[in-house]
Amino acid sequence: MPYPMQLGFQDATSPIMEELMYFHDHTLMIVFLISSLVLYIIILMLTTKLTHTSTMDAQEVETIWTILPAVILVLIALPSLRILYMMDEIYNPYLTVKAMGHQWYWSYEYTDYEDLTFDSYMIPTQELTPGQLRLLEVDNRVVLPMELPIRMLISSEDVLHAWAVPSLGLKTDAIPGRLNQATLTSTRPGVYYGQCSEICGSNHSFMPIVLEMTTLKYFEKWSSMMQ
């Protein structure tokens, strides 16, 4: 969960999100160094009257400022491509869940079970109990086992939506007539919140996502009760 005055990301709860946070810090450091160098050169040009005329025609300087940006781009591109392929790979998922976006709620179908489907609506503010979060709580949570690869199939029945859970590093568009795929693995139990991240109409901000990651034993008990 985010908290007031937070500057960084939410705490990562999946290997993919941890990799994304490392990549963010890696890229931010490169941007900081480039910005510092440019600022230093600008200040130097504004505060000194000394010039070096031979520098204007130096082939060595031109070679450096051509090769150095290319090297920096490679240092950014390689880890980015690695994470991109990691996010697309799905090997033998333990469970497949289909999420369908509607105006303005989500419906879920556990495709490995016969009759395990339900709709997930936001709980109105006046019906919240103490401790529940406004605009984030739902009447039916998505319960999933932790430490297991899970495949999410995401689509929509009306307009564009987006199924996003920041703590897991997930954000996948829900497009009518198209089935998008995502994978998630939680490294610890907990309740994780997300929201639709695509403007989908007047009640766009009222279709939250709540994942409850539990042990496999509790998940099997829950699934048998829901059928």
Side-chain angles (χ1 to χ4, degrees):
M1 278 295 299
Y3 52 85
M5 304 300 291
Q6 180 175 343
L7 296 178
F9 292 105
Q10 297 182 27
D11 292 338
T13 187
S14 72
I16 293 296
M17 189 56 193
E18 290 178 0
E19 292 288 340
L20 288 172
M21 292 178 68
Y22 293 148
F23 175 68
H24 169 267
D25 296 340
H26 166 76
T27 308
L28 193 64
M29 185 56 65
I30 294 176
V31 172
F32 175 75
L33 293 175
I34 294 173
S35 303
S36 300
L37 177 61
V38 172
L39 182 62
Y40 170 73
I41 294 174
I42 292 175
I43 294 174
L44 205 62
M45 292 174 63
L46 295 175
T47 56
T48 180
K49 296 181 180 180
L50 300 177
T51 58
H52 198 291
T53 55
S54 63
T55 305
M56 304 302 294
D57 298 320
Q59 295 293 327
E60 294 82 4
V61 175
E62 293 184 7
T63 302
I64 291 173
W65 72 39
T66 301
I67 294 178
L68 190 59
V71 172
I72 293 173
L73 289 175
V74 170
L75 292 176
I76 295 175
L78 290 180
S80 175
L81 290 172
R82 172 176 168 270
I83 297 174
L84 188 63
Y85 281 104
M86 287 175 60
M87 294 174 69
D88 283 339
E89 291 178 353
I90 300 179
Y91 294 114
N92 299 322
Y94 174 81
L95 186 67
T96 299
V97 180
K98 184 179 180 182
M100 293 292 293
H102 308 266
Q103 288 182 312
W104 288 269
Y105 65 96
W106 294 97
S107 61
Y108 297 96
E109 176 184 351
Y110 288 68
T111 59
D112 299 291
Y113 297 84
E114 290 186 4
D115 299 317
L116 188 46
T117 60
F118 56 85
D119 296 330
S120 181
Y121 290 87
M122 185 194 75
I123 299 177
T125 302
Q126 62 271 18
E127 297 180 12
L128 291 174
T129 59
Q132 290 186 324
L133 301 171
R134 178 177 173 270
L135 300 182
L136 288 177
E137 294 292 348
V138 295
D139 54 357
N140 290 309
R141 292 177 174 178
V142 181
V143 179
L144 297 171
M146 60 181 241
E147 296 181 339
L148 292 171
I150 297 166
R151 175 170 53 198
M152 294 295 305
L153 301 178
I154 300 161
S155 186
S156 171
E157 283 198 353
D158 37 48
V159 299
L160 291 177
H161 299 279
W163 200 83
V165 183
S167 295
L168 292 166
L170 289 175
K171 185 181 184 296
T172 305
D173 288 337
I175 303 172
R178 176 171 177 174
L179 206 59
N180 287 332
Q181 180 175 268
T183 181
L184 65 91
T185 303
S186 176
T187 55
R188 60 177 181 267
V191 179
Y192 305 102
Y193 296 88
Q195 290 177 302
C196 176
S197 298
E198 192 77 46
I199 297 177
C200 56
S202 59
N203 290 338
H204 156 68
S205 57
F206 304 121
M207 47 185 303
I209 301 159
V210 183
L211 300 184
E212 184 176 345
M213 309 303 295
T214 66
T215 61
L216 181 59
K217 182 177 180 180
Y218 178 85
F219 169 76
E220 291 177 344
K221 181 180 179 181
W222 173 84
S223 61
S224 63
M225 292 172 57
M226 290 291 291
Q227 291 187 82

